Amino acid sequence: RFLLRLLSSLDLVREEEARFGWGAGGPGPQEVLSYGGGEIEHERFSPDREWMPRVVLIAKSALVWLDQLSKRYGRPITRLSEIPDEELDRLSAQGFTGLWLIGLWQRSKASRRIKQLCGNPEAEASAYSIDSYTIAQELGGWEDLGSLRERCWRRGIRLASDMVPNHTGIDSTWVIEHPERFVQSSEPPFPSYTYNGENLSPVPGLGIFLEDHYFTKTDAAVTFKRVDYSRGEARYIYHGNDGTHTPWNDTAQINFLDPSVREEVIQTILHVARSFSIIRFDAAMTLAKRHIQRLWYPEPGAGGAIPSRSEHSLMKVDFERAIPIEFWREVVDRVAAELPDTLLLAEAFWMMEGYFVRTLGMHRVYNSAFMNMLKAEENANYRATIKNTLEFDPDILKRFVNFMNNPDEETAVAQFGKGDKYFGVCTMMVTMPGLPMFGHGQIEGFAEKYGMEYRRAYREESPDEDLVRRHEREIFPLMKERYLFAEVDSFRLYDFYSDGQSVNENVFAYSNRRGEERALIVYNNCFQRTAGWVNYSVPYAIKEPGKGKRKVRATLGSSLGLRGEGEAFTILREQHSGLSFIRSSRELGERGLYVELSGYQTQVFLRIVEIQDNEHRHYARLAARLEGRGVADIDAALKEVFLEPLHQAFSRVVSASTLARLAEAAELDEGAPPLAPLTDDYREFLRIGSDFSGGSYREEILSQMTRGLKAVREVVALAAVPPSAGDSYASYLGLGLQLSRYAPYLLLCAALLKPIGGIFSGELAAESRSLIDEWSLGPSCESALRDLAAPRSLIPRFVKLLKILVRQQGWLRAVGPGEDGLSAMSAFFADPETQGYLGVNRFEDTLWFNREAYLDFVWWISAAGAIDAFAASPQADARKAAIERLFRIVQDWLRVLDESEYRVDKLIAALRDLHESRRGTTPPAEGAPRKGGTTKPRSGAH
């Protein structure tokens, strides 16, 4: 820092800034250090530059974006430093690693004035009519750029910038100070040209005039007039021009025939590279040698692409002597030597894409064929483009910039819509080798095309939230896995055989690999439905050291690295449907993958793994069971295969016929129907379960199950007392049984499940509850309830209740003397599963519960408590005492319900008050009022 300050004091740095910035200055040396600019920034990147193939770029028209952000956040956002961190967080979370801001440089004042004179008073200068390569002061200058760059860097985002190499604004610093650097003549190119309009010069003593016919639109007006009044000198400088449209009338064409001018442009490029990791070169194809000559120095007799330039014709040999090396080849070499961690991206058309990457060495080049051919559904032509590239040199594929729109084209939604076709092509864009580039407003579904002179959007458009969410589901996850798609070594394009013989050119099928990670994408870019096989790749070139290259083909199995040895199976997860498919690896290797596609449908197969089957052939059995169908959870489906013998045994235990016989039996004695066949099935079920889980079956478990079933029958019999018999617990039980005819079946099913954890030595309730999930017993219970004609809408809730009853078994024994249910209810509300059943929810920092669910739960848990008490003791006195105690607890639970206002904290507090009031005193007499409540369960409360 001391040395840089010393150099600055000697004005040496200032001279360098002036040179790099076309006389306007660049980032100061301290700014380079503070904000990561220049070579110092590039030292921070890894030397192998792996980030380059993985860039996902999004374009933003800077002024328009800032205006949109101002509206979104409700405050003025006009400088780069004011861009909210939330926006950068959003871009990073979406998977973008490059941010291309269009229009950062100081723009031409004359350009803005010309557009205003042409009828748009709000117009800004064109972003490509540049005064100097210094960050515009209205955007905050170099300091704000440094701040933004640092914030982006922390989020893994690199900044990209335009560089316009072939022209400047007509009033640029170069035009003012170095007019000799431009293509020009000393006389008007045509006698009819006149220059009598407004003086557009920003400095006194100099005149800059457009040709008058431009405003009347009666001539192409290929030049403007520059007048130096102090010298009495007039120059007629040509506008920038690509020979296909009218000239860019707010620009001045640089003369690339002059080697000193070419060097100045290269120095400017290096200056830009010191502040930006990615540089996009505008209209780069116009600076290829063939086009410099075609446009500006045509061979004699060629006529020339631009009016009047035939007068400046050059023989080929003289042109080659003036420009012996391609300008872009020199740029690429110089950047590689001086700033090697810079990604160079060329906007090039006119069928020059291959030339730019193969001969000129450009890192990335626009691939307009991607957008144009896929939009027009010229699928055979685009497949041919990919195939030809693969046969010549696959590495070229990753040099393409694939896009669905760019600033010069209509928006992506205008070209591709918002439906399946858009997302199919977008999926290809982010999963093909190359650099995916998104346009401004593409994700939000904006339809307005932003001109280079826009300060704001003219349409009032809001983001299409459905479109954004679909990007979140289908596109952003793929962008975050660019490492898997970016390289070409393992990229394979396949022919899709729809009838076994002919190739369906509308289907794009390709795969890629990185290590053991694999991906396969299949997209049908047409309306017609199709089906067929993906197996053989198209030919691709393999380079062999010292032998040139040879063309080979591969199968899908070999491309995915499937070994297919023994009984191997491959599992493929499809992203859009969320389904996983299992296929024989041998079949994939021999026949490929069969795929069915509707119009514009995309299938993205990720998480492709190969697994060897076990000695029980579980994977083979699963594949046979599914018959090609996908499943949401392959592990769950495989678990069903593992547990199939267990499920078959358990289905006999809890079958509808078994539960019905148990519910109707007058007595349940061991050795007598219906317990006799059940005990055999139950014993077999637990023995199989013990083998699966490593437990140990004991006959005591069977005895416990039998006692539980008998207790259910006895409690149900107790409830046979009519409700009119008085305020007894039996009446309360009977009321619930009347309201739900399925209650006995559920209680019997719970009795069958409660002791299964006895195969382990741990806590019975926890072990039994765990085994219900581990053994996936819920579906068998659901099946039995369906066969018993239970309402389908209630069956899932019934199964949740079963799990709670198993988990809470023995709760009554855990209630301490005199606690009156406080500890039990506190434990219930602390259990997540019970909370869900009770409808517990948080609102404004308060936990609430559902009144009806609470009344329902109290009945079920009290019935379970009675059953546990009857199963624990056959003695009448012990049972009576347990029932009386249980009824007091239930009365307390119901008494405090209304007082709680359905708040968990108030309910527990009310129970605690009851507990405290009874401590050391006799319990209140039944029927005694408390705080306006009632001690007896109200009729119909359940």
Side-chain angles (χ1 to χ4, degrees), residues 333-382:
D333 292 344
R334 292 282 292 277
V335 170
E338 300 184 41
L339 296 167
D341 211 64
T342 306
L343 183 65
L344 305 180
L345 187 160
E347 180 195 31
F349 303 114
W350 302 344
M351 304 300 291
M352 296 196 68
E353 295 88 344
Y355 182 70
F356 262 79
V357 297
R358 291 197 303 267
T359 304
L360 303 183
M362 188 63 68
H363 302 159
R364 301 290 183 270
V365 65
Y366 270 32
N367 181 23
S368 57
F370 180 90
M371 175 185 69
N372 293 323
M373 291 184 180
L374 293 179
K375 174 181 64 177
E377 298 181 18
E378 297 176 5
N379 300 317
N381 289 339
Y382 193 64

Side-chain angles (χ1 to χ4, degrees), residues 7 18 51 104 160 185 237 267 419 424 447 464 478 481-482 490 548 560 585 606 627 669 727 737 829 833 847:
L7 290 172
W51 66 271
L104 293 180
S185 64
I237 299 176
Q267 289 297 329
D464 185 329
L478 299 175
E481 301 196 46
R482 276 299 296 169
S490 299
L560 295 178
S585 294
L606 299 173
E627 296 181 326
D669 297 322
D727 294 327
L737 291 171
F829 272 109
E833 206 159 36
L847 287 178

Side-chain angles (χ1 to χ4, degrees), residues 546-672:
K547 298 181 181 179
K549 59 185 178 183
R550 60 187 177 92
K551 298 177 184 177
V552 298
R553 301 182 73 182
T555 64
L556 176 65
S558 63
S559 299
L560 295 178
L562 304 179
R563 292 178 289 274
E565 301 169 352
E567 287 292 325
F569 288 84
T570 301
I571 298 171
L572 310 93
R573 181 166 180 80
E574 203 283 307
Q575 181 208 43
H576 295 171
S577 65
L579 300 179
S580 294
F581 300 82
I582 183 170
R583 296 289 185 269
S584 163
S585 294
R586 181 175 299 172
E587 178 185 282
L588 285 175
E590 294 174 355
R591 301 186 63 191
L593 180 69
Y594 179 77
V595 178
E596 295 182 354
L597 296 166
S598 57
Y600 304 115
Q601 184 181 359
T602 310
Q603 293 190 4
V604 178
F605 296 98
L606 299 173
R607 310 295 180 263
I608 302 173
V609 295
E610 187 177 29
I611 297 176
Q612 283 290 330
D613 208 348
N614 55 35
E615 67 273 16
H616 302 292
R617 303 189 73 246
H618 286 130
Y619 286 93
R621 288 161 55 191
L622 176 60
R625 173 185 290 186
L626 293 177
E627 296 181 326
R629 299 186 307 275
V631 292
D633 188 337
I634 199 76
D635 292 330
L638 187 64
K639 187 176 180 180
E640 289 183 15
V641 174
F642 281 136
L643 297 175
E644 187 173 23
L646 182 68
H647 290 167
Q648 290 175 348
F650 184 65
S651 294
R652 292 190 295 270
V653 170
V654 295
S655 68
S657 58
T658 298
L659 293 176
R661 288 197 304 270
L662 291 172
E664 294 168 2
E667 297 290 342
L668 289 176
D669 297 322
E670 287 192 56

Side-chain angles (χ1 to χ4, degrees), residues 871-905:
S873 175
Q875 300 297 323
D877 291 343
R879 289 183 173 185
K880 180 180 179 183
I883 291 298
E884 289 176 349
R885 182 173 175 232
L886 174 62
F887 192 40
R888 285 196 300 272
I889 292 173
V890 171
Q891 287 177 308
D892 288 346
W893 287 346
L894 297 176
R895 179 181 295 116
V896 299
L897 175 58
D898 290 336
E899 183 180 339
S900 73
E901 300 175 352
Y902 318 125
R903 290 175 47 163
V904 175
D905 58 341

Side-chain angles (χ1 to χ4, degrees), residues 504-547:
N504 185 339
E505 297 283 359
N506 294 319
V507 177
F508 293 86
Y510 52 92
S511 67
N512 214 331
R513 285 183 63 195
R514 184 174 176 86
E516 291 300 312
E517 293 190 69
R518 312 166 174 95
L520 172 66
I521 288 84
V522 189
Y523 169 56
N524 178 24
N525 192 38
C526 73
F527 182 75
Q528 288 77 25
R529 183 180 181 85
T530 188
W533 291 85
V534 177
N535 192 12
Y536 293 104
S537 77
V538 303
Y540 58 95
I542 291 182
K543 299 175 184 178
E544 297 179 328
K547 298 181 181 179

